[in-house]
Amino acid sequence: MPPSASSLAESVARRSYGKLVAFLAARSGDVAGAEDALADAFAAALEHWPASGIPDNPEAWLLTSARRRQIDNARKTRLRLEKADDVTRQIEELAMIREQDHVIPDERLRLMFACAHPALDATVRAPLILQTVLGFDAAAIASAFLISPAAMSQRLVRAKTKIRQAGIPFRVPEREELPERLDTVLEAVYAVFAEGWADPEGSRPRRRNLAAEGIWLGRLIASLMPDEPEVLGLLALMLHAEARRAARRSPEGDFVPLAQQDTLLWDEEMIEEAEALLARAVKRGQIGRYQLEAALQSAHAIRRRGLAVDWAAIVQLYDALVLLTQSPVAAINRAVALAHIEGTEAALAAFDALLEDARLAEYQPYWAARADLLARAKRFDEARDAYMRAIGLESDPAIRRYLQGKMGQV
């Protein structure tokens, strides 16, 4: 095959996969069937384009081919005749595409809402978005989420089957439904980003790509819902975090805490974009979780201007975040920030109160932060015990080395 045809097919697949799957699945209600039809269409393109020439509108060519395959598959199906007839009717009611000038509606947001529907298991929503919107295969997703490819494949198949059988709608929810449903979508997108963020050195390409894909999804949603403040807040949060990637490890690969990072290594352009997005979100007057978290990132980002961190403002932001989310993680960070204002003992008192939450017994950041505070309070035996607990719970070798070094200083 001539390289031009091959490279174009790959480019279209990357750029338009989710758009085409969304268009096809929204009309049939069958995500898996849409993916299969599109896979056949891409195979046909690789076979025909080198000989017949690349069409002026390759996206439209692929959609036409995939829709014909959907119709053929529906007609051949005898297990659900009424559904097959319905699929055929919905597809055929649209005029055949004029490949030169057809503009395909972008329905990826509808697809994301279907994939993040509350009826689906929460653990499969982010992987399902990765596969249907971005075209990731099950093996890549399984690697990122640390489960076996077979188990991930089964989860994805079950989720797609449930979408079809339960008739989960491909639509943006009505205004009264939107807050809860949108939060589900944003949680799934943030989960994608967080998986990539967990690999700061980029040593595992599949995870590194997830951070970029999470931001790409955030940009997509922001382009489709430009007036939703929490959408803007999430994108700002991810950009603020990603802007510091280069500073999170030393040249030797050692962990560098936020307070000790070289701000010259931060991506200034990315931070400025995040600040502009956050400003737009706040003007809407509807403060939410992601805006608060982005504001906390912004409060630390002022260090790049040579300004001191306003710890009182950070405590206030964490107060609001804890009130809104009841998150023990936010409560931990609030207690750490409190130490800068009211001192170590006040922070340790806040930590003691948090230990009533059983979820924190196996949460490494709790024990690492507690150990640091205990060391500052000269309660060295307790500090060493807390450091040992944190080290035992940490899987990242660089962070383990950092904690071991801190314990050695006690």
Side-chain angles (χ1 to χ4, degrees):
M1 179 198 308
S4 58
S6 174
S7 61
L8 180 59
E10 291 177 3
S11 175
V12 171
R14 172 64 183 86
R15 183 183 68 249
S16 303
Y17 180 86
K19 186 177 179 181
L20 295 174
V21 168
F23 185 88
L24 294 164
R27 283 152 182 78
S28 66
D30 184 355
V31 175
E35 291 175 322
D36 291 343
L38 190 57
D40 289 342
F42 276 118
L46 295 177
E47 180 181 349
H48 291 102
W49 288 2
S52 60
I54 298 170
D56 293 335
N57 189 335
E59 200 174 65
W61 189 100
L62 288 166
L63 184 55
T64 300
S65 178
R67 281 171 49 180
R68 287 171 177 160
R69 281 160 175 74
Q70 276 190 310
I71 292 170
D72 289 342
N73 291 336
R75 285 172 173 165
K76 291 174 183 176
T77 299
R78 293 292 177 261
L79 297 177
R80 293 179 299 275
L81 292 179
E82 290 184 6
K83 183 64 176 176
D85 290 342
D86 186 51
V87 169
T88 302
R89 179 186 58 76
Q90 290 185 54
I91 295 173
E92 289 184 323
E93 70 184 9
L94 300 172
M96 291 306 291
I97 297 169
R98 293 173 56 192
E99 294 178 9
Q100 275 66 39
D101 57 13
H102 181 77
V103 176
I104 301 169
D106 194 336
E107 298 179 347
R108 284 173 291 187
L109 189 60
R110 294 170 63 186
L111 177 59
M112 279 190 273
F113 272 107
C115 291
H117 195 280
L120 299 177
D121 188 285
T123 62
V124 80
R125 295 169 191 164
L128 195 57
I129 287 176
L130 277 175
Q131 186 169 75
T132 60
V133 180
L134 298 176
F136 276 40
D137 61 44
I141 299 170
S143 174
F145 286 86
L146 304 179
I147 69 172
S148 72
M152 179 58 74
S153 293
Q154 289 174 356
R155 289 184 188 181
L156 292 169
V157 169
R158 284 197 297 267
K160 292 172 192 175
T161 300
K162 186 163 187 176
I163 289 174
R164 185 185 72 247
Q165 293 180 344
I168 289 176
F170 287 73
R171 65 176 177 85
V172 176
E174 299 298 329
R175 175 59 56 179
E176 61 271 14
E177 302 175 276
L178 190 58
E180 179 184 0
R181 291 288 305 281
L182 179 59
D183 193 53
T184 302
V185 171
L186 298 183
E187 282 182 3
V189 172
Y190 193 34
V192 171
F193 174 81
E195 287 296 326
W197 177 245
D199 181 29
E201 295 177 290
S203 58
R204 287 168 286 184
R206 284 172 175 166
R207 273 202 169 182
R208 182 180 66 244
N209 290 343
L210 287 182
E213 298 296 358
I215 291 174
W216 187 90
L217 285 168
R219 291 190 190 281
L220 172 63
I221 300 173
S223 71
L224 297 171
M225 306 181 76
D227 296 324
E228 287 296 332
E230 278 293 82
V231 171
L232 301 175
L234 174 59
L235 181 54
L237 169 61
M238 293 189 293
L239 289 171
H240 262 305
E242 187 64 16
R244 300 198 306 270
R245 179 177 290 274
R248 296 176 66 202
R249 292 290 188 269
S250 72
E252 296 75 32
D254 293 326
F255 170 71
V256 182
L258 174 59
Q260 298 173 23
Q261 288 177 8
D262 181 355
T263 61
L264 294 177
L265 297 176
W266 292 355
D267 188 317
E268 178 69 17
E269 184 177 346
M270 201 174 285
I271 292 174
E272 287 300 316
E273 182 184 0
E275 295 283 82
L277 287 163
L278 181 58
R280 278 176 53 197
V282 171
K283 286 180 181 178
R284 306 295 298 179
Q286 302 171 23
I287 300 301
R289 166 197 170 186
Y290 295 112
Q291 293 169 77
L292 289 170
E293 292 197 32
L296 284 160
Q297 298 289 332
S298 177
H300 288 285
I302 64 169
R303 283 183 47 224
R304 76 193 193 284
R305 304 295 189 203
L307 301 174
V309 173
D310 186 344
W311 288 104
I314 287 178
V315 170
Q316 288 182 333
L317 287 168
Y318 274 123
D319 282 337
L321 191 59
V322 170
L323 185 64
L324 183 66
T325 66
Q326 304 299 312
S327 166
V329 176
I332 291 171
N333 290 327
R334 179 196 176 277
V336 171
L338 192 65
H340 292 270
I341 301 173
E342 299 184 13
T344 302
E345 291 302 330
L348 281 171
F351 265 78
D352 289 339
L354 290 175
L355 197 53
E356 296 177 5
D357 189 328
R359 291 172 294 180
L360 298 180
E362 302 298 319
Y363 187 59
Q364 182 272 354
Y366 173 86
W367 294 103
R370 183 180 178 86
D372 182 61
L373 290 170
L374 288 167
R376 287 193 228 169
K378 302 186 185 305
R379 293 160 59 176
F380 299 125
D381 288 342
E382 293 175 83
R384 280 190 289 270
D385 289 343
Y387 272 126
M388 287 295 293
R389 189 81 172 264
I391 291 166
L393 293 170
E394 181 54 59
S395 60
D396 186 321
I399 297 178
R400 284 175 63 90
R401 290 196 303 271
Y402 172 79
L403 292 172
Q404 288 164 345
K406 294 283 288 185
M407 186 175 68
Q409 297 171 12
V410 174

